[in-house]
mmCIF file of all heavy atoms in Angstrom:
data_model
loop_
_atom_site.group_PDB
_atom_site.id
_atom_site.type_symbol
_atom_site.label_atom_id
_atom_site.label_comp_id
_atom_site.label_asym_id
_atom_site.label_seq_id
_atom_site.Cartn_x
_atom_site.Cartn_y
_atom_site.Cartn_z
ATOM 1 N N ALA M 69 -0.205 -9.565 -27.426
ATOM 2 C CA ALA M 69 -0.872 -9.096 -26.216
ATOM 3 C C ALA M 69 -0.789 -10.147 -25.114
ATOM 4 O O ALA M 69 -0.524 -9.825 -23.948
ATOM 5 C CB ALA M 69 -2.335 -8.763 -26.517
ATOM 6 N N ASN M 84 6.946 -13.337 -5.935
ATOM 7 C CA ASN M 84 6.275 -13.939 -4.770
ATOM 8 C C ASN M 84 6.396 -15.468 -4.876
ATOM 9 O O ASN M 84 5.480 -16.142 -5.352
ATOM 10 C CB ASN M 84 4.800 -13.534 -4.746
ATOM 11 C CG ASN M 84 4.599 -12.034 -4.671
ATOM 12 O OD1 ASN M 84 4.625 -11.445 -3.607
ATOM 13 N ND2 ASN M 84 4.413 -11.396 -5.822
ATOM 14 N N VAL M 92 -5.384 -14.634 -15.066
ATOM 15 C CA VAL M 92 -6.415 -13.615 -15.293
ATOM 16 C C VAL M 92 -7.614 -14.290 -15.939
ATOM 17 O O VAL M 92 -7.462 -15.085 -16.870
ATOM 18 C CB VAL M 92 -5.893 -12.482 -16.197
ATOM 19 C CG1 VAL M 92 -7.022 -11.499 -16.503
ATOM 20 C CG2 VAL M 92 -4.729 -11.761 -15.535
ATOM 21 N N LYS M 138 -16.968 -12.618 -6.383
ATOM 22 C CA LYS M 138 -17.090 -11.313 -5.731
ATOM 23 C C LYS M 138 -15.988 -10.351 -6.161
ATOM 24 O O LYS M 138 -16.084 -9.144 -5.935
ATOM 25 C CB LYS M 138 -17.024 -11.469 -4.210
ATOM 26 C CG LYS M 138 -18.253 -12.091 -3.576
ATOM 27 C CD LYS M 138 -18.031 -12.194 -2.065
ATOM 28 C CE LYS M 138 -19.180 -12.915 -1.380
ATOM 29 N NZ LYS M 138 -18.894 -13.067 0.080
#
Side-chain angles (χ1 to χ4, degrees):
N84 301 276
V92 175
K138 288 179 185 177

